[in-house]
Amino acid sequence: MQTPEIEKAKSHILIEIIEYISNSVVSKTIIRKTTGNVNVVAIDTGEALAEKTSPFDTFIQIIEGTAEIIIDKKSNMLNTGEGIIIPAHTSNNIIAKGRFKMISTVIKSGYESI
């Protein structure tokens, strides 16, 4: 089932459109296109996204709390307002040392000439 996007042409407070759920990772689609997608994600303390390797660049921006972003086995601690680009074809995982919310933007275009 595809998650509906949030309403267009309307202002949104992103940290308020998603709530934490105990022992869970919750995601809401902001916009989804064939060229990429944007999601807001809430991750409860102690939860993590499984280690993965994406064929696309992913921009992560923390909008509440602190997260550990591990890229190619190197740990990066990000706080509210900070962001990082996870390069395509690089192993990564995201761990909640405390609960946090983030925006995840995946760019699927621009790889045609690579």
Side-chain angles (χ1 to χ4, degrees):
M1 180 175 94
Q2 185 168 346
T3 307
E5 298 175 355
I6 64 171
E7 185 178 346
K8 295 180 182 177
K10 179 183 176 202
S11 176
H12 298 277
I13 300 172
L14 296 178
I15 62 171
E16 293 180 0
I17 66 169
I18 194 164
E19 297 297 325
Y20 296 105
I21 296 179
S22 294
N23 305 311
S24 298
V25 175
V26 182
S27 178
K28 178 151 181 73
T29 301
I30 301 296
I31 190 166
R32 180 180 308 277
K33 300 293 179 197
T34 57
T35 54
N37 55 63
V38 179
N39 293 296
V40 63
V41 182
I43 302 179
D44 195 27
T45 303
E47 296 300 312
L49 298 180
E51 184 173 353
K52 67 178 184 172
T53 301
S54 171
F56 309 111
D57 287 339
T58 302
F59 177 66
I60 301 294
Q61 180 182 12
I62 306 305
I63 58 174
E64 182 177 82
T66 301
E68 181 179 16
I69 314 294
I70 301 172
I71 302 172
D72 209 17
K73 298 189 180 10
K74 181 182 181 285
S75 176
N76 301 274
M77 295 302 292
L78 274 68
N79 297 302
T80 301
E82 294 181 316
I84 194 165
I85 297 171
I86 300 171
H89 309 292
T90 305
S91 67
N92 65 87
N93 60 323
I94 299 173
I95 301 170
K97 300 296 185 182
R99 57 178 22 187
F100 73 94
K101 294 179 183 179
M102 69 179 187
I103 298 171
S104 172
T105 305
V106 177
I107 306 298
K108 294 182 179 179
S109 62
Y111 296 91
E112 297 82 6
S113 62
I114 296 177

